[in-house]
Amino acid sequence: MDSVLDALNARGFIAQETDSEGGREYLRSPAACYIGFDPTADSLHVGSLVPILSLVHMQRHGHRPIVLLGGGTGLVGDPSGKTEMRKMLSIEQIQCNARALQKQLSKFLDFSDGKALFLNNADWLVGLPYIDFLRDIGCHFSVNRMLTAESYKLRLETGLSFIEFNYMLLQAYDFLHLSESNNCFLQMGGNDQWGNIVAGIELIRRKTGKSAYGVTFPLMTTASGAKMGKSAAGAVWLDAEKTSPFDFYQYWVNSDDLDVARFLSMYTFLPLEEVEAVKGLEGQDLNVCKSVLAFEVTSLVHGQEQALAAYEAACSVFGRREIDPMLLRSSAIPRAGRDRAEAVPTTAIDATRLEVGVPVVDLLVETGLCASRSAARRLIQQGGAYAGEKRISDLDASIGAGDLHEGGLILKAGKKKIHRICV
RNA sequence: GGAGAGGUUCCCAAGUGGCCAAAGGGAGCAGACUGUAAAUCUGCCGGCGAUGCCUUCGGAGGUUCGAAUCCUCCCCUCUCCA
């Protein structure tokens, strides 16, 4: 059987490997691998999907993924790829975030019977005695060498504090620790983690003489160069409370043409042969593929139920287009079905207010479609406000109970930002 | 600790007493064109009960009819020196 590394490579997951041959040898039999997630927020976002899914691939190939929560390293802060120091988070905040991330990550992997593992580096980092650590670990690091690391270079221009400078040592120590405690000799991570991963490999070699391996993922950007997971409303979170499944679905539907095939291979588990067929498509045919992409990713993150609802809601708002049964045929996306508007993010409006009539400007703000009343006015003046299919041109227009159909009404700000109100 | 440079609206960056809610660029938003894409063109882009009013130019005071612009003190960042 092909190595999981070949599979990952074919799907575009691999940016760099420290030792391609050695890594493959290591993975010939079931082995452990780990990725660290620092709890800097109470939810992961689209940017973490690549590492997460790589672990899923690992598990599917019979290996044992270790999810390392950075309860300890999060207290320090990774300067890699950052232009300035991140705000320091309190210990309580970190712990709270770590719990939230654990809950989120547990949906993707099977943690039963030790098939995958959750560990928290706070368990071994927080209590480290400073002097001992310097003597045992610190002595193996050359500052001269560290300063040449790409991850520090950027910061050398703008400023790098000592606490952040230590991050590399802590991550290297994590790897050493995991190699000894869990027989884990493979670390993966974003390409910005290269320096930290290599530092760990070298530390393991110096301390124990053993070989360890590293794999990094490409830094994901969209075809237009934007970072993954940024939308008009901010980051696209994996938490349904922070980004509704419908908005999450929409994020993927709005992918750039040039990204569709790449995203299908990285963010879904559809067979590569099927994804290959997408590459020749253009125009409306390609557009349909975006629905499949969105459906599949939403399924992975929020479950098929939610994905279905989002898909049908999108159909009801934007219209349905036939999906060729042979196109990406492994996808469970419905090839025929009913439209349902309910999955559009909805805000309930008090019935008594609707009796009198609620100004559209107010509704636009209350639903979050506009940031301020001024913005709402501007939107109306520019002709971007819709109630149902009707464009609203009057600044003083208001919505009454009679405007609702079957208890709801779709409000649109522009063509794509959509919110539903109901009684 | 010393010397110098600097902190402007989401980001970069002009502005050095009234013409400044503050140039320009980027990002973003809307409209047109489309395919819920890209590119392009046009408009918008602090807030509000809106031909006016309020809040903003690191912070706190002060000078002045009037300050982002002048003065004082403080905070923060960078560079060089110790």
Side-chain angles (χ1 to χ4, degrees), chain A residues 245-289:
Chain A
F246 178 76
D247 289 334
F248 185 84
Y249 174 94
Q250 284 297 317
Y251 171 76
W252 294 98
V253 173
N254 285 309
S255 295
D256 192 298
D257 280 11
L258 299 170
D259 288 327
V260 179
R262 186 165 57 107
F263 287 179
L264 278 168
S265 68
M266 295 192 70
Y267 294 106
T268 78
F269 287 90
L270 298 174
L272 277 181
E273 311 85 76
E274 294 179 21
V275 174
E276 201 61 34
V278 166
K279 287 183 179 159
L281 300 179
E282 54 184 26
Q284 305 204 353
D285 298 327
L286 184 58
N287 215 30
V288 165
C289 300

Side-chain angles (χ1 to χ4, degrees), chain A residues 1-8 22-35 52-67 108-117 182-188 213 215:
Chain A
M1 192 179 77
D2 274 3
S3 168
V4 62
L5 292 177
D6 294 319
L8 285 174
R24 261 151 252 263
E25 186 60 32
Y26 172 68
L27 291 168
R28 271 166 76 99
S29 51
C33 62
Y34 95 93
I35 297 180
I52 293 172
L53 296 179
S54 75
L55 288 180
V56 177
H57 279 288
M58 279 292 171
Q59 188 166 55
R60 289 186 178 193
H61 277 78
H63 300 294
R64 182 203 225 184
I66 297 174
V67 174
F108 291 92
L109 295 162
D110 177 5
F111 286 91
S112 64
D113 306 323
K115 287 192 203 108
L117 232 52
N182 288 281
N183 241 345
C184 176
F185 290 91
L186 172 61
Q187 181 182 181
M188 306 191 289
Y213 312 94
V215 170

Side-chain angles (χ1 to χ4, degrees), chain A residues 18 136-137 139-146 148-149 168-169 171-173 175-176 179 185 187 194-214:
Chain A
T18 53
D136 293 344
I137 306 298
C139 66
H140 293 295
F141 286 81
S142 150
V143 170
N144 314 43
R145 176 109 202 271
M146 284 171 73
T148 63
M168 183 182 274
L169 303 227
Q171 186 165 332
Y173 181 71
F175 201 176
L176 173 66
S179 72
F185 290 91
Q187 181 182 181
W194 181 256
N196 294 337
I197 293 173
V198 169
I201 292 172
E202 288 183 3
L203 180 64
I204 290 173
R205 200 191 57 240
R206 287 182 184 154
K207 291 290 287 184
T208 70
K210 292 179 183 164
S211 300
Y213 312 94

Side-chain angles (χ1 to χ4, degrees), chain A residues 24 46 58 73 100 111 149 164-165 167 181 306 331 341 365 368 384 387:
Chain A
R24 261 151 252 263
V46 164
M58 279 292 171
T73 38
F111 286 91
E164 295 176 287
F165 190 55
Y167 191 91
S181 64
Q306 293 292 325
S331 172
V365 176

